[in-house]
Amino acid sequence: MCGRTCLTLEPKELESCCKYKKKEESKPKPPRYRNEFNCGKKYTPSFNVAPTDVTPVLVSAVHFDDSADPADRLLVPMMWGMVPRWHKGDYRKHGLTTNNCRLEGLAMSKLYGPPLAAGQRCVILCEGFYEWQTVKQMKASDRPAFYVHMPQGGKVKVEDKTTWNADDDGEQLQLLRMAGLFDVWEDEHGDKLYSYTVITFETVGKFAEIHHRSPAILETDEQVSDWLDFKRVPANRAINLLQPPKVLQWFRVSNIVNNSRNKSAQCNKPIQEGSTKSPMVPKSKLMQSWLVVKKRKVEETDEQPGVKKN
C-alpha cells in the first residue's frame, strides 16, 4: 500500500535526477518537463504528498507526440488517484478509491485494464513514501509511521537535502520509482486531467513486518525502461517483470505525518524506535498569540494572593 509520499524537488532538479541513457547514446539526457493544465491543479513540492495532490511522473514521449522515439521520456504533472475516463460530472466525486491498484487481476479490471492495454504506464517519482505498521493489532492513531526509501550512496542522507548533490560529479539522491498507470479525463469544456494510480502487490521479505501490501518498486534503470517503453515491451510481459523490492530501507518518523495538512520538513526526519515524542512543529501565528495570552493569564493568577491554582 502507498498512501503518502515525499517529493520536495523542483522541476529542474527532477530533470537532473531523472537523466537516462538510451542504448544507442552514451551521454545521459534529462527528460523534458511538460507542464499540463490539469483543470487548474499544479505541482507543489511537499514533504507530505497525499492523494489528489499533483506530482510529476515519467512517461514515454510517444503519449504526447506520435513521431517521438518510444524510448524518450517526459516528466508530466498528474494527480494522484486515477479518475475514470468514463466518469461524468465533478472529477472529485467518482466515488472510487483509486490511489492504489492491485497487481492481481489488473489486466481484467474494468477500471485499470483499458489504460494498461493502451500502454498508459508511468513511473511515480518520490524521495520516499510513508507507511504505517498495520500487521500488529493497535489503534490507528497509535500505529508507528515509517519513511521508506532507496539506499543512498556516499554521504547522501535522504532526509537531509543539504547532502544532496545535483551535479554530475557528485553523489546524487537516488529517487524511489514506483510502477503505475495513468488515464486522461476530460470535463464538459474539453479540459484534460491527467491522473495516476500506484500498482501494489503482496509484500514478501522484511517489509512484511510493516505492511502486507507494498508498491511495485522499479529498482534499476533497465526496469524503468522496460516499464515505460510499451511499444517494445507488451503489457503481459511488463506485468510479469514487476517483482517485490529487494533493497528498500526505512526508519521510524513522527506521527505528525498522519495529518496530510502537516507539510513540515519534520515529516521525514528520523526518530528513535519506541519514542513517542514528536518533533516540534512550527505553530501558526494565531496559535502563538493564543499561547502568549494563556501564559499571561496563568502568571497573573499565580501572582494574586489567595487564588487557588488548578
Side-chain angles (χ1 to χ4, degrees):
M1 183 178 177
C2 181
R4 296 286 170 70
T5 66
C6 174
L7 186 62
T8 63
L9 294 170
E10 297 290 345
K12 285 297 182 183
E13 295 174 311
L14 272 173
E15 288 181 342
S16 179
C17 283
C18 293
K19 289 180 180 179
Y20 63 101
K21 186 182 295 186
K22 294 167 65 174
K23 290 184 178 180
E24 68 273 15
E25 298 176 356
S26 58
K27 187 177 180 180
K29 59 185 297 186
R32 180 170 59 87
Y33 190 91
R34 180 184 172 113
N35 202 0
E36 295 302 316
F37 178 66
N38 278 326
C39 297
K41 295 179 71 69
K42 300 290 185 180
Y43 165 58
T44 301
S46 173
F47 286 95
N48 195 358
V49 177
T52 73
D53 288 342
V54 170
T55 65
V57 302
L58 282 173
V59 298
S60 170
V62 175
H63 292 297
F64 294 87
D65 182 359
D66 292 337
S67 62
D69 185 336
D72 277 330
R73 304 173 188 177
L74 295 175
L75 275 166
V76 182
M78 297 189 186
M79 187 183 78
W80 186 5
M82 185 184 289
V83 179
R85 65 176 64 188
W86 38 259
H87 174 68
K88 303 297 183 182
D90 192 331
Y91 69 85
R92 295 165 292 190
K93 298 181 179 180
H94 56 77
L96 300 172
T97 302
T98 57
N99 312 326
N100 299 161
C101 62
R102 290 175 172 259
L103 178 67
E104 304 87 349
L106 187 64
M108 303 303 295
S109 168
K110 292 182 179 180
L111 176 58
Y112 304 117
L116 176 65
Q120 292 172 195
R121 309 195 303 244
C122 65
V123 174
I124 297 97
L125 304 168
C126 61
E127 292 145 27
F129 71 91
Y130 301 98
E131 191 56 270
W132 287 259
Q133 190 169 33
T134 58
V135 295
K136 295 181 180 180
Q137 294 296 324
M138 61 183 71
K139 294 192 301 183
S141 59
D142 294 334
R143 293 171 181 165
F146 295 86
Y147 187 61
V148 188
H149 60 93
M150 294 294 288
Q152 302 298 318
K155 298 181 180 180
V156 175
K157 294 182 179 180
V158 71
E159 73 277 11
D160 185 358
K161 199 167 184 176
T162 64
T163 66
W164 306 351
N165 191 333
D167 297 333
D168 293 335
D169 298 332
E171 288 285 354
Q172 285 192 326
L173 172 73
Q174 298 301 308
L175 290 173
L176 192 147
R177 302 171 292 188
M178 300 181 285
L181 298 172
F182 75 92
D183 210 347
V184 187
W185 175 85
E186 291 190 22
D187 65 13
E188 64 273 18
H189 305 296
D191 293 328
K192 295 180 179 180
L193 175 68
Y194 292 82
S195 57
Y196 66 83
T197 184
V198 178
I199 297 174
T200 69
F201 43 44
E202 198 71 21
T203 304
V204 297
K206 188 70 174 176
F207 193 68
E209 298 176 7
I210 306 296
H211 203 282
H212 67 284
R213 302 289 298 183
S214 57
I217 306 298
L218 303 169
E219 296 178 324
T220 68
D221 293 336
E222 183 180 4
Q223 288 175 318
V224 171
S225 296
D226 289 343
W227 182 251
L228 290 178
D229 194 348
F230 65 97
K231 295 285 189 179
R232 177 175 57 86
V233 182
N236 58 344
R237 184 180 162 213
I239 290 295
N240 291 331
L241 289 173
L242 297 180
Q243 299 293 328
K246 300 176 182 178
V247 299
L248 287 181
Q249 296 180 356
W250 56 89
F251 52 79
R252 178 85 181 271
V253 294
S254 166
N255 281 56
I256 62 171
V257 74
N258 291 15
N259 189 332
S260 62
R261 289 175 293 183
N262 288 335
K263 306 294 187 182
S264 164
Q266 295 297 330
C267 285
N268 72 340
K269 299 299 181 288
I271 63 173
Q272 291 183 351
E273 288 289 337
S275 172
T276 58
K277 185 177 181 180
S278 297
M280 292 297 293
V281 181
K283 299 180 178 67
S284 66
K285 292 183 178 179
L286 180 62
M287 177 62 74
Q288 291 174 345
S289 300
W290 180 83
L291 289 173
V292 170
V293 173
K294 184 177 181 180
K295 181 180 180 181
R296 187 184 303 125
K297 288 183 177 179
V298 171
E299 291 173 346
E300 290 173 353
T301 301
D302 289 344
E303 293 172 357
Q304 294 178 18
V307 176
K308 187 179 180 180
K309 298 180 181 179
N310 293 326

